[in-house]
Amino acid sequence: MTYEMILVEQRGAVTLITLNRPKALNALNSQVLAELSDAFAAFDADPAQHCAVLTGSGEKAFAAGADIKEMADKPAADFFLEDFFSGWQTGVVATRKPWIAAVAGFALGGGCELAMMADFIIAADTAKFGQPEIKLGVAPGMGGSQRLTRAVGKAKAMEMCLTGRMMGAEEAERSGLVSRIVPAADLLEEALKTAAEIAAMPPMAAMVNKEMVNTAFETGLAQGLLTERRMFQILTATQDKMEGMAAFIEKRPGVWQGR
Ligand code: CAA
């Protein structure tokens, strides 16, 4: 697939995906979704790629939301019949390998929701998160009311959804929405460095750790604890477990097979 709205490059074992519609503040339309779905599927399928970073082009925005111009005249029945926005779940959230959102500037509406689809967010000090859909007469549709509430709790999520107010980087870190804040000029380098660190881990263990933390986010404690034990037990069958434990005992770095 030829990409027009995103850029994809490989930096060693890290795939860097950049939303590339800076004039529209990287607004997310159907083509962006199709291209991102293709890029994430290729990343997942490539045995040499182990972690990805998603970022926005331009300093002003990670993404300013779903494309309002695409939605403005669309009949309601089409939204329903197309199951509009469901593709984000199958095309982006379903990615099995870990990926990081590196957010500078606006992450609003679908942009905030896309960032929250990542396994974690590293924010520039310029980042601003918000769910302003109410001002358009609608509500979040790509997970904002659910993931934001789970991430920052009911009080802040409710206030943000009802008023559309934005949360700056410091509040986002304090509230647990982002893992850490870095100066805007260092954002990409820091995100790529963290991704490279993850990419150097035993790959199956990284995928399982991702799945387990997401299970904690998405299910109850009893189900989560059972899943965690079973996944731990399954990982003990891998060559990388034998290697990792032998390497520890022999005081040397592990060499991973990815199986
Ligand atoms: N969709 C389409 N185009 C958008 C856009 C969006 N979500 N956000 C910005 N743009 C476009 C603008 O229309 C403008 O294009 P033109 O130059 O062709 O007019 C360009 O990007 C630059 O934007 P502004 O001139 O508005 O820039 P600004 O600095 O004055 O304001 C902003 C920046 C506060 C982010 C403002 O652009 C804004 O409020 N954007 C919309 C934010 C929003 O409501 N997002 C939610 C969308 S709905 C949604 O996402 C639903 C969901 O749950 C998935």
Side-chain angles (χ1 to χ4, degrees):
M1 185 176 194
T2 311
Y3 301 139
E4 292 172 1
M5 299 202 167
I6 63 171
L7 302 170
V8 180
E9 13 169 344
Q10 294 182 348
R11 309 254 182 120
V14 174
T15 300
L16 172 62
I17 306 173
T18 306
L19 300 166
N20 194 30
R21 294 186 77 197
K23 284 188 185 146
L25 302 187
N26 300 321
L28 306 168
N29 63 13
S30 305
Q31 189 176 340
V32 175
L33 171 59
E35 293 184 13
L36 273 183
S37 303
D38 190 79
F40 273 110
F43 158 65
D44 241 2
D46 187 338
Q49 293 299 295
H50 297 308
C51 191
V53 171
L54 176 67
T55 196
S57 56
E59 290 165 10
K60 207 168 159 186
F62 172 75
D67 192 323
I68 298 167
K69 290 165 189 165
E70 186 180 61
M71 296 186 294
D73 297 324
K74 199 176 174 73
D78 288 359
F79 283 101
F80 179 79
L81 293 170
E82 292 168 19
D83 200 6
F84 200 73
F85 292 147
S86 63
W88 293 94
Q89 190 66 29
T90 49
V92 176
V93 178
T95 306
R96 295 182 69 205
K97 292 177 184 171
W99 64 278
I100 302 167
V103 175
F106 295 113
L108 301 179
C112 184
E113 293 167 301
L114 175 57
M116 291 190 292
M117 290 176 203
D119 297 309
F120 60 95
I121 302 170
I122 299 179
D125 47 13
T126 58
K128 292 186 202 70
F129 299 89
Q131 297 291 163
E133 289 89 342
I134 193 164
K135 295 179 182 171
L136 301 169
V138 286
M142 285 164 53
S145 63
Q146 306 303 302
R147 290 196 178 95
L148 186 66
T149 306
R150 282 168 169 77
V152 306
K154 178 181 169 185
K156 280 185 186 288
M158 188 69 92
E159 187 196 349
M160 287 170 71
C161 287
L162 286 178
T163 67
R165 93 159 164 91
M166 294 181 213
M167 183 187 261
E170 284 195 6
E171 186 182 2
E173 186 187 31
R174 209 167 54 236
S175 311
L177 181 60
V178 310
S179 68
R180 65 196 160 94
I181 308 172
V182 298
D186 302 338
L187 177 68
L188 194 56
E189 190 189 331
E190 282 294 325
L192 287 169
K193 200 166 84 185
T194 307
E197 202 178 317
I198 295 168
M201 297 292 170
M204 269 184 68
M207 291 167 74
V208 168
N209 274 277
K210 163 179 172 142
E211 202 171 312
M212 287 186 346
V213 176
N214 281 332
T215 300
F217 202 58
E218 290 161 13
T219 63
L221 183 61
Q223 180 58 47
L225 289 172
L226 177 62
T227 304
E228 183 188 79
R229 279 201 308 282
R230 293 287 176 263
M231 296 310 286
F232 176 88
Q233 291 155 5
I234 287 168
L235 275 180
T236 63
T238 61
Q239 291 173 24
D240 283 349
K241 173 263 177 187
M242 300 304 289
E243 166 65 6
M245 294 198 179
F248 174 80
I249 290 164
E250 292 160 18
K251 300 188 189 299
R252 60 172 176 81
V255 180
W256 313 122
Q257 304 298 317
R259 46 198 315 117

